Amino acid sequence: MELSPKQQEIRDREELLLDVAQRMLLERGYEDLRMDRIAEAVGVSKGTVYQHFGSRDDLLAAVAARSAATRA
């Protein structure tokens, strides 16, 4: 199934959010990982991050799931 341009844009943004979150997690650790910092690094609002991930824990779970899928 082919994605519409808007769906692809959303998917690309989500991947970028995950990339940035993973990098920040490795560099700064869990306690210093904040949604507003991720939003700033990506150039979106904090609300946009929350549209993709309902909480920091949801974001971390997605980072972990993607990492596990990559290793498998």
Side-chain angles (χ1 to χ4, degrees):
M1 181 175 115
E2 192 171 321
L3 298 176
S4 72
K6 183 64 174 174
Q7 289 170 319
Q8 188 62 50
E9 178 185 337
I10 291 168
R11 181 177 281 181
D12 291 346
R13 184 182 318 121
E14 190 166 293
E15 287 298 316
L16 180 57
L17 290 167
L18 290 170
D19 290 343
V20 169
Q22 184 173 13
R23 180 175 40 88
M24 286 185 173
L25 184 62
L26 292 171
E27 290 174 359
R28 299 176 180 208
Y30 175 79
E31 293 299 321
D32 209 26
L33 183 69
R34 295 195 347 232
M35 300 298 247
D36 58 333
R37 287 187 178 153
I38 294 166
E40 183 179 339
V42 174
V44 298
S45 71
K46 187 165 65 168
T48 298
V49 178
Y50 279 106
Q51 285 178 341
H52 288 272
F53 306 100
S55 68
R56 181 172 73 159
D57 289 339
D58 290 344
L59 175 61
L60 290 171
V63 168
R66 187 176 74 160
S67 179
T70 301
R71 291 184 185 146

